[in-house]
Amino acid sequence: MHRPLLAGLTTTVLTGASLLALAAPSQAADTTTIYVRQTAAACSDTGPGTLATPFCSINPAVARVEPGQTVDVSQGTYPERVTVGRSGTPEQPITIVASGTATINGPTAGVVVHGQHDIVLQNIRVAKTADGPALDLADASGLTVQGGSFLPADTATAPIVRLAAVSRTTLTQIVVKGAVPTSGISMDAATTGVVVSSATVGGTYKVAEPNVGIRIDGPGNTILNSTVGAFTGAGIAIGPAAADTVVANTQVQSGAGLGIHVRGAARTAITNNYVRDHCGDGIRVDGDATGVSVQNNIMTSNGITTRSYCDPADPPGVEIGLFDAAASSTVVDYNNTYHFSSPSDTAYSWNGTRMSLQAFRLASGQAAHDLDTSYATEAEDSANSAAPGFQATDRAGNARADNPNRPNTGAGPMPWADRGVTEYLGAPRAWVETKLDLGTRTVTADASLSLPGYRPISRYVFDFGDGTVVTSDKPVVSHAYATTGDYTVSVTVSGSDNRTGTAAQGISVLRRTGTIGLLALVNLRYTSATAGRVLTADKATLAGDGQFDLADAGNGRVAVLSRSVGRYLVNSGAILPNSPVVTDEQTFDLVTNADGTISLRWSGRAYVGVNGSAQLVATATAIGTREKFYRVNPADANRTLKAGANGQFVSAESAGAKPLVANRATAGVWERFDVLDLGNGKVALLAQANGKVVCADGTGTKPLIANRTSAGAWETFVLVRNADGTVSLKATINNHYVSAESAGAKPLIANRTAIGPWEKFTVGG
């Protein structure tokens, strides 16, 4: 049985109610983020770029950003050509992210990165650019372009995305579409080490010139898990100098010209792709190409010129064609082809002669394991996993799986791998994660990471261990428990073929005794939690990720639950918010120190402290500065004080460099304070202006000023609640009340023996 905590802790240390009985706090702006808000009334291109006064345009923000900072662009249409003129570092890249539906739009619109490195572009959308590429990268390295879309005007002539002398770069989950007469993505001969993954590259049939989806002219580049289609030239064109190119798990479809064209490049790997519906050849290798591998691909209906987007005057193509000197050194094997009908006598070409699979084998000595078939099941368990460029996962990220009902006719270390872009899976694999809310005794069970089998998952059956069973077609379900206790949550997933998979996870639903923030004494920074990562005392303000529920774990101990993660803290070499259950390893002794701070002793063995990297670890055998934390009730963070003397907000003037004074009509960062609960009605004030503790300087003979790194006798106040709803502060160092002297005209000072209008303050949010 759980034994209640000590009464003193329950009423003071563990209280979840605000000391000031006020509304919940609002979050202050992150100083590592520069904001762009075109629609904000207070936006200014010469301002600070804070959330309160953001930039109106992107370029002024980008011109100011430093390594490790983020430019956050919200919704709006920005008629700019954004030029990134600064570099980040591998450890602290510069990030530019569109957090809303922001579009860079106009005839000169685009994003330019020339001569820079370690830049991250997230969810950037460029539309209707006609002058230059929508994304222009040159002499750059260490770039990551994630998400977003690049859509040129119909009159555009440059490549939509151009890479010149670019290295160590990833383009992932981007959409590139347009009717340009050149390329969707172009990589010049000096570009190397670029990975294009999960991209969608589409053209149209509006241009007469042979345009290309992805043009690769430099060595060592990779195309993975992408979709390319609707180009009049080639879907993917690999130039003579583009040695060691890999094209894998990619769908190349519906082109008026060729699918994948290897134009003399050495050691190209064309592996596990799906190439279909081209007017010309599906895969063509020609010129002086050497060491090319064409394996595990599925080829369907290429070389048919009767489609509406084909020129009927052009000669029909084939599924796979080898030409010139390239024919003698290209490896073709483990492919599936279906050309018009099966069997087909024109699915292959050997130096311009169209022929059947059998004739191609005789002429080339290749394609011993190719299949002339349209049946998808023939792709199962039949790929060569030793082929160059082979990926351990399929296009969707699924690991290779063996179908026990089919013989393994493939080769390599995984002879059960499938051909083409999709790995056929067997029974679904269930996965369940739980998130707890102790305030409502609610658990949210999330089975979203469950993997389907041969059929998509159509049903989720959740058993919450208390007799409640919920059947749903959605992977996320919540349930409120009537009583506290330990339970097992399980989910059974099934597809339309009735194959099932089950996963389970134990949870502990404990009684919440309070909610606090933990402000580390050593650096006056709040502790924050992120799923799967070590707790870190690194935040200047108390936000949602810094709120922790204290729960009765029995025997006088507490369990600590991260409200944002929904998991209990556990010591796994460091303190992480990873555990859904509470055992001895997830319990802490809560110690109240003489100076009003608290400490946590993990499982009765070691005290939790802040190390040199600001991470929380449980290694100390005694309490020192690093093992002490101020407790802050979330409702007492980010508060304002309005003086009754003049109705003005109290400000830590000049970012805390000057004494506190009630002289502001509105509240910004300088006018906000966190109330530190020192127990027994005593508090301290932390100024958000500079992250310092407010002091009754000179034993109270001097004005209040925020200049201390800890709360001692001069920094401790008794909080007095007045009958009219206001509060007053009595400095413990001299037992005098804090006054907005001279009706607020002078700085605050603790010099009054009684409470009058000048000694009353209204606390706000």
Side-chain angles (χ1 to χ4, degrees):
M1 295 179 63
H2 295 305
R3 184 163 60 83
L5 297 172
L6 297 176
L9 295 179
T10 303
T11 57
T12 59
V13 174
L14 302 183
T15 177
S18 167
L19 286 170
L20 306 175
L22 298 171
S26 59
Q27 183 174 355
D30 186 347
T31 57
T32 64
T33 302
I34 298 174
Y35 294 93
V36 180
R37 298 290 187 268
Q38 185 184 66
T39 58
C43 76
S44 169
D45 281 343
T46 60
T50 62
L51 194 55
T53 309
F55 287 105
C56 305
S57 306
I58 303 173
N59 270 312
V62 171
R64 186 175 293 187
V65 69
E66 298 288 346
Q69 290 186 321
T70 296
V71 175
D72 182 328
V73 184
S74 188
Q75 66 184 38
T77 300
Y78 298 85
E80 304 180 55
R81 191 159 188 82
V82 177
T83 300
V84 183
R86 296 188 174 192
S87 294
T89 68
E91 296 77 18
Q92 291 189 309
I94 286 174
T95 299
I96 304 172
V97 58
S99 60
T101 54
T103 301
I104 302 172
N105 188 289
T108 62
V111 177
V112 178
V113 181
H114 286 182
Q116 308 302 326
H117 56 83
D118 298 298
I119 309 292
V120 178
L121 304 175
Q122 291 182 341
N123 302 325
I124 303 298
R125 175 182 168 88
V126 179
K128 299 187 181 303
T129 180
D131 183 10
L135 178 62
D136 196 1
L137 312 177
D139 299 312
S141 65
L143 309 182
T144 298
V145 183
Q146 182 177 20
S149 59
F150 303 91
L151 314 171
D154 290 344
T155 56
T157 58
I160 303 172
V161 175
R162 179 169 63 190
L163 290 82
V166 172
S167 63
R168 197 167 52 85
T169 288
T170 299
L171 311 180
T172 183
Q173 298 176 328
I174 64 173
V175 175
V176 179
K177 288 188 176 181
V180 297
T182 55
S183 307
I185 299 176
S186 175
M187 307 181 202
D188 76 348
T191 292
T192 184
V194 171
V195 176
V196 178
S197 67
S198 303
T200 299
V201 183
T204 70
Y205 305 114
K206 295 180 181 179
V207 294
E209 298 87 346
N211 59 356
V212 173
I214 302 177
R215 182 184 299 277
I216 307 170
D217 288 315
N221 299 299
T222 300
I223 312 297
L224 294 177
N225 308 330
S226 296
T227 300
V228 183
F231 289 91
T232 57
I236 300 175
I238 303 166
D244 301 304
T245 296
V246 174
V247 180
N249 289 349
T250 291
Q251 183 165 312
V252 186
Q253 61 190 31
S254 303
L258 306 173
I260 301 174
H261 187 190
V262 182
R263 301 181 297 111
R267 299 178 301 279
T268 302
I270 310 297
T271 310
N272 282 94
N273 301 290
Y274 180 30
V275 185
R276 65 176 179 87
D277 299 329
H278 292 87
C279 304
D281 301 335
I283 296 177
R284 179 185 178 104
V285 184
D286 57 25
D288 295 326
T290 58
V292 176
S293 170
V294 180
Q295 299 193 60
N296 302 338
N297 303 286
I298 293 179
M299 318 291 299
T300 302
S301 301
N302 296 289
I304 303 174
T305 60
T306 56
R307 296 184 176 91
S308 60
Y309 52 82
C310 299
D311 186 344
D314 290 340
V318 295
E319 304 298 331
I320 299 174
L322 305 184
F323 298 84
D324 311 321
S328 62
S329 67
T330 299
V331 174
V332 176
D333 211 356
Y334 294 94
N335 303 288
N336 284 7
T337 62
Y338 181 76
H339 191 68
F340 303 122
S341 61
S342 184
S344 170
D345 59 358
T346 57
Y348 293 80
S349 177
W350 178 257
N351 273 317
T353 302
R354 301 167 71 215
M355 59 185 63
S356 67
L357 170 58
Q358 185 60 35
F360 182 76
R361 286 172 176 162
L362 293 173
S364 66
Q366 296 293 327
H369 301 91
D370 277 18
L371 297 174
D372 186 353
T373 180
S374 63
Y375 293 105
T377 54
E378 296 297 325
E380 284 191 81
D381 296 3
S382 61
N384 178 14
S385 59
F390 176 81
Q391 304 295 307
T393 58
D394 70 358
R395 172 188 177 88
N398 296 317
R400 304 295 176 178
D402 186 7
N403 183 350
N405 299 317
R406 291 188 62 84
N408 297 330
T409 59
M414 291 184 286
W416 60 84
D418 297 345
R419 303 181 186 189
V421 299
T422 301
E423 185 75 14
Y424 294 91
L425 303 176
R429 284 182 284 175
W431 185 270
V432 64
E433 290 284 345
T434 57
K435 182 176 182 179
L436 282 168
D437 183 341
L438 294 183
T440 58
R441 291 198 298 266
T442 298
V443 62
T444 298
D446 187 347
S448 299
L449 295 180
S450 298
L451 298 177
Y454 289 111
R455 299 288 187 272
I457 296 173
S458 58
R459 185 175 62 181
Y460 300 82
V461 180
F462 294 89
D463 188 333
F464 290 95
D466 63 346
T468 303
V469 177
V470 178
T471 300
S472 175
D473 61 352
K474 301 294 190 297
V476 181
V477 170
S478 295
H479 170 64
Y481 288 94
T483 60
T484 59
D486 293 324
Y487 302 93
T488 298
V489 178
S490 67
V491 63
T492 299
V493 299
S494 59
S496 58
D497 57 358
N498 293 320
R499 294 178 182 267
T500 64
T502 300
Q505 187 172 95
I507 61 168
S508 297
V509 182
L510 303 184
R511 181 177 65 87
R512 184 178 68 173
T513 57
T515 301
I516 63 173
L518 294 170
L519 182 73
L521 174 61
V522 69
N523 61 2
L524 291 183
R525 287 294 184 265
Y526 285 102
T527 301
S528 63
T530 302
R533 300 182 63 179
V534 176
L535 263 66
T536 308
D538 62 352
K539 296 295 181 67
T541 57
L542 178 56
D545 60 359
Q547 297 185 24
F548 300 91
D549 282 344
L550 300 173
D552 184 357
N555 300 317
R557 289 183 176 171
V558 298
V560 184
L561 181 123
S562 164
R563 290 181 59 82
S564 62
V565 179
R567 294 292 185 92
Y568 294 101
L569 305 189
V570 62
N571 183 23
S572 298
I575 306 299
L576 293 96
N578 280 0
S579 182
V581 298
V582 174
T583 67
D584 187 63
E585 300 299 303
Q586 290 82 29
T587 63
F588 300 83
D589 295 308
L590 189 62
V591 179
T592 300
N593 301 309
D595 58 3
T597 61
I598 61 172
S599 297
L600 292 169
R601 184 170 59 187
W602 164 68
S603 191
R605 285 174 266 182
Y607 290 97
V608 176
V610 180
N611 67 14
S613 300
Q615 294 180 327
L616 267 62
V617 296
T619 57
T621 57
I623 298 174
T625 301
R626 293 186 175 275
E627 288 71 45
K628 291 184 176 183
F629 299 84
Y630 292 111
R631 59 183 177 270
V632 178
N633 295 312
D636 293 338
N638 201 31
R639 304 292 86 186
T640 61
L641 295 172
K642 182 180 287 187
N646 60 4
Q648 299 287 296
F649 290 102
V650 174
S651 176
E653 195 73 5
S654 298
K658 295 181 179 180
L660 271 61
V661 63
N663 66 353
R664 297 301 173 99
T666 60
V669 176
W670 294 1
E671 292 74 45
R672 294 193 176 274
F673 303 84
D674 295 347
V675 181
L676 314 185
D677 181 2
L678 303 182
N680 298 318
K682 294 181 179 179
V683 300
L685 298 179
L686 181 75
Q688 291 192 5
N690 60 3
K692 297 293 182 64
V693 179
V694 174
C695 175
D697 213 0
T699 66
T701 61
K702 297 180 180 180
L704 271 62
I705 187 169
N707 66 356
R708 298 302 170 96
T709 58
S710 63
W714 293 8
E715 294 77 35
T716 301
F717 301 86
V718 175
L719 183 70
V720 179
R721 297 180 181 86
N722 301 309
D724 59 1
T726 63
V727 300
S728 298
L729 296 169
K730 179 188 284 187
T732 60
I733 190 63
N734 63 2
N735 285 321
H736 282 62
Y737 293 100
V738 173
S739 176
E741 192 74 1
S742 297
K746 294 182 179 180
L748 271 64
I749 188 169
N751 66 354
R752 296 303 174 100
T753 59
I755 298 174
W758 294 2
E759 291 73 46
K760 292 184 177 182
F761 301 86
T762 300
V763 181

